């Protein structure tokens, strides 16, 4: 697979090239349904509508409050627990989030275990497998891997939480590559210097992710 690294070309591709498509599914609530109903893997009007749901969820959350809460949360995957509690779904299983996250990308294999994990999360979100539930679950899944990696990478450095996170985003960003379709070909895109992306699919939760990561590092 070709890798695009030239900075101007990277920005052009991230701004204009489509996402790899995912097939529609007849699943009521499973990993295939989730991929097909989140903003992450679509473009155009579907993406705009679904992204608006994500942005609305995030708009309810104060990064400052998330940071304060992250200083006190213990246990498994604290960054996921902080976000789930703030979203109003405290009963969601962080283990289910982690299982689904391991199969979230379209190039990752389907899994009956991931299907069960998604179904469990839909139930925790009210039991309706719609785009609103997909938006909330998608937030947790993307935070699970990216924010978790940000925290782990930041622990390599010394300094205040804000200092080590800023350094991490430059030297060891949690997400290094993404994928797009260019002239009918699936390509990888180097995100060096663009840790939260750019263009229509730029991460809408930048401030929230940085705040949660900082709170966890301050707790440590």
């Amino acid at each position: 697979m070709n890798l695009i690294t030239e900075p101007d070309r990277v920005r052009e591709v991230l701004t204009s090239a489509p996402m790899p498509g995912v097939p529609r599914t007849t699943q009521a609530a499973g990993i295939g349904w989730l991929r097909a109903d989140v903003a992450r893997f679509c473009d155009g009007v579907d993406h705009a509508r679904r992204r608006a749901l994500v942005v609305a969820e995030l708009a309810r959350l104060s990064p400052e409050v998330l940071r304060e809460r992250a200083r006190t949360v213990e246990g498994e995957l604290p960054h996921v627990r902080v976000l789930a509690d703030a979203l109003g779904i405290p009963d969601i299983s962080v283990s289910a989030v982690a299982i689904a996250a391991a199969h979230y990308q379209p190039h990752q294999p389907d899994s009956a275990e991931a299907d069960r994990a998604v179904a469990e999360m839909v139930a925790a979100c009210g039991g309706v497998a719609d785009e609103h539930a997909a938006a909330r679950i998608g937030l947790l899944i993307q935070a699970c891997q990216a924010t978790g990696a940000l925290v782990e990478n930041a622990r390599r450095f010394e300094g205040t939480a804000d200092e080590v996170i800023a350094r991490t985003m430059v030297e060891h960003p949690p997400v290094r590559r993404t994928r797009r379709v260019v002239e009918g070909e699936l390509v990888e895109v180097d995100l060096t210097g663009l840790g939260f992306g750019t263009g229509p699919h730029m991460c809408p939760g930048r401030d929230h992710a940085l705040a949660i990561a900082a709170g966890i590092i301050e707790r440590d």
Side-chain angles (χ1 to χ4, degrees):
M1 186 183 304
N2 287 334
L3 173 64
I4 296 174
T5 59
E6 198 279 319
D8 288 342
R9 180 59 173 153
V10 165
R11 289 181 177 275
E12 178 186 0
V13 167
L14 292 178
T15 300
S16 61
M19 296 293 300
V22 296
R24 296 302 304 177
T25 176
T26 58
Q27 277 184 325
I31 195 68
W33 162 79
L34 183 63
R35 293 181 191 133
D37 273 43
V38 292
R40 178 73 177 83
F41 304 119
C42 65
D43 296 293
V45 295
D46 286 343
H47 174 257
R49 182 182 67 254
R50 295 170 184 177
R51 183 180 175 90
L53 294 173
V54 173
V55 171
E57 289 290 329
L58 291 170
R60 300 190 292 109
L61 312 183
S62 162
E64 292 76 15
V65 172
L66 292 174
R67 184 169 182 161
E68 181 178 353
R69 176 61 175 150
R71 295 188 184 112
T72 65
V73 171
E74 302 287 346
E76 180 186 12
L77 301 177
H79 54 293
V80 178
R81 174 53 58 208
V82 168
L83 186 56
D85 290 350
L87 289 170
I89 39 179
D91 294 334
I92 207 160
S93 163
V94 295
S95 296
V97 175
I99 290 167
H103 299 271
Y104 183 57
Q105 293 292 332
H107 60 272
Q108 293 170 324
D110 291 349
S111 158
E113 185 182 28
D115 288 339
R116 290 190 294 270
V118 172
E120 180 180 339
M121 289 189 284
V122 169
C125 289
V128 179
D130 58 11
E131 289 184 349
H132 185 216
R136 304 177 90 195
I137 294 168
L139 277 170
L140 293 174
I141 285 177
Q142 293 188 207
C144 181
Q145 295 187 321
T147 307
L150 174 57
V151 171
E152 289 306 310
N153 292 354
R155 285 175 171 148
R156 306 180 186 189
F157 304 119
E158 295 184 357
T160 68
D162 291 330
E163 289 170 347
V164 298
I165 287 173
R167 183 175 177 185
T168 300
M169 291 306 301
V170 173
E171 297 183 25
H172 295 283
V175 180
R176 294 180 175 273
R177 293 181 181 180
T178 188
R179 294 184 176 193
R180 293 293 188 274
V181 177
V182 177
E183 297 179 353
E185 179 187 1
L186 183 63
V187 301
E188 287 195 322
V189 184
D190 182 9
L191 293 177
T192 298
L194 293 170
F196 290 93
T198 191
H201 284 273
M202 182 177 181
C203 176
R206 175 187 181 278
D207 292 344
H208 305 77
L210 295 177
I212 292 172
I216 291 173
I217 291 168
E218 288 166 342
R219 180 202 66 189
D220 294 346

